[in-house]
Amino acid sequence: MGLLIAGMHRSGTSMVAQWTDRLGVPMVPGTDFAESGGNARGLFETTEVVALDDQWLGVLGGSWWAPPTVREQTWRSIDERSLDTARSSVRQILPGGSRWFIKDPRISLLLPLWDRLLLSRQPVAVGVRPHREVAMSLHVRNGTRFRRGLAIWWAYNGSVARHGGNRPSVVIDYDRSLADPDHAVGAFARFLADVGMPTDPEQVAEVVGGIEPTLRRQHVESLDGTAERLAADLDPHYEALAAAHGAALPVELPPTPDWVEEALDELSEFWDVNVRLDMALDRNSPPASQRVRRMLRRK
């Protein structure tokens, strides 16, 4: 049995992956992403897994920044031949033993697919972080408007809350982890032991001692203008998720605000235009067409 690490981008999933690695559970083999200023200790993702998830998000009608709306029936009716092809790719990256982890925030949107690819419901660890900080991070790094960043945060967390409660799971809240590392890492280590991946107490102590709050990039109390009103709408959603820190899903989330669905619909429309543009323009298009493409891809 392995471990899937999910959660919204910029929500501490790399931190959880680092804990997992230092507690003796290895990442699946593959081509690592290079370290970056945003994740000084590494992403703990492989290009193979991210490419697979990006491909399936596209098949389902979206991307990481335009989460597709997928009916429950769709997960059960995916073509078996396509699944067999994807399973072959997954088998190639899974190690022979029972201790491994796969980390990619996109898994939050694709848990039912991964269940079918692995032919079992693997345990999942979910990184959670305040929505204001995630929206600010996306705004600074990607130019994403606050309204859309908040909606993407909701889409990832709403999806993992719906599909993550039917398996062993643990929620790790970023803020609470930095405030009380002993409790957070201890709860995570107990979770690993419960799913058949026991850890050494000395390893747990080393992980606790290695947590550096100074690596935190964003601490946001409020957003600008009307974005703060929208963020306030999601406060109950974050509070419900954070209350499960160190414990398991499922988490019952409040109803979705109307503006969230509208923002996600807008992102889906941008994604659709983006795809159509790529079909119409080849990669050797003139500079003017390249500028048009970049403008349309701005989220």
Side-chain angles (χ1 to χ4, degrees), residues 78-156:
I78 295 174
D79 179 66
E80 282 294 334
R81 290 174 296 181
S82 299
L83 286 172
D84 285 341
T85 299
R87 284 190 190 112
S88 297
S89 300
V90 171
R91 290 191 195 103
Q92 292 176 15
I93 65 173
L94 290 182
S98 60
R99 294 169 67 92
W100 53 263
F101 76 86
I102 293 174
K103 177 254 180 177
D104 182 12
R106 297 163 183 79
I107 292 173
S108 308
L109 305 173
L110 296 170
L111 269 177
L113 172 68
W114 276 93
D115 290 346
R116 299 201 62 185
L117 293 179
L118 297 171
L119 299 175
S120 62
R121 290 174 175 170
Q122 300 294 319
V124 62
V126 183
V128 173
R129 188 177 182 184
H131 44 297
R132 290 174 178 83
E133 295 182 1
V134 171
M136 180 62 76
S137 183
L138 292 178
H139 179 70
V140 171
R141 289 171 60 88
N142 303 92
T144 307
R145 299 173 186 173
F146 289 133
R147 176 171 171 269
R148 292 176 176 175
L150 292 167
I152 298 169
W153 179 94
W154 178 93
Y156 275 70

Side-chain angles (χ1 to χ4, degrees), residues 170-269:
V170 64
V171 176
I172 300 296
D173 178 71
Y174 187 74
D175 276 9
R176 285 165 173 77
S177 296
L178 296 184
D180 190 351
D182 286 286
H183 174 265
V185 179
F188 185 65
R190 289 190 293 274
F191 165 74
L192 290 179
D194 288 343
V195 298
M197 292 182 272
T199 59
D200 186 289
E202 291 186 3
Q203 293 174 316
V204 174
E206 289 176 2
V207 172
V208 171
I211 294 177
E212 297 181 31
T214 56
L215 291 176
R216 182 176 191 163
R217 291 290 185 272
Q218 300 289 344
H219 184 73
V220 180
E221 295 292 340
S222 63
L223 298 177
D224 298 333
T226 59
E228 176 55 27
R229 177 180 58 79
L230 302 180
D233 288 344
L234 297 182
D235 284 343
H237 299 73
Y238 170 67
E239 290 165 4
L241 290 163
H245 174 61
L249 295 166
V251 174
E252 291 292 330
L253 297 181
T256 311
D258 290 341
W259 65 263
V260 169
E261 295 183 350
E262 293 170 359
L264 293 175
D265 285 345
E266 291 172 7
L267 288 168
S268 293
E269 291 176 6

Side-chain angles (χ1 to χ4, degrees), residues 49-80:
V49 168
V50 171
L52 178 67
D53 286 343
D54 276 338
Q55 177 187 11
W56 277 95
L57 286 172
V59 168
L60 294 166
S63 69
W64 77 263
W65 57 266
T69 300
V70 184
R71 298 177 182 273
E72 293 303 318
Q73 177 60 33
T74 300
W75 300 115
R76 298 188 290 271
S77 59
I78 295 174
D79 179 66
E80 282 294 334

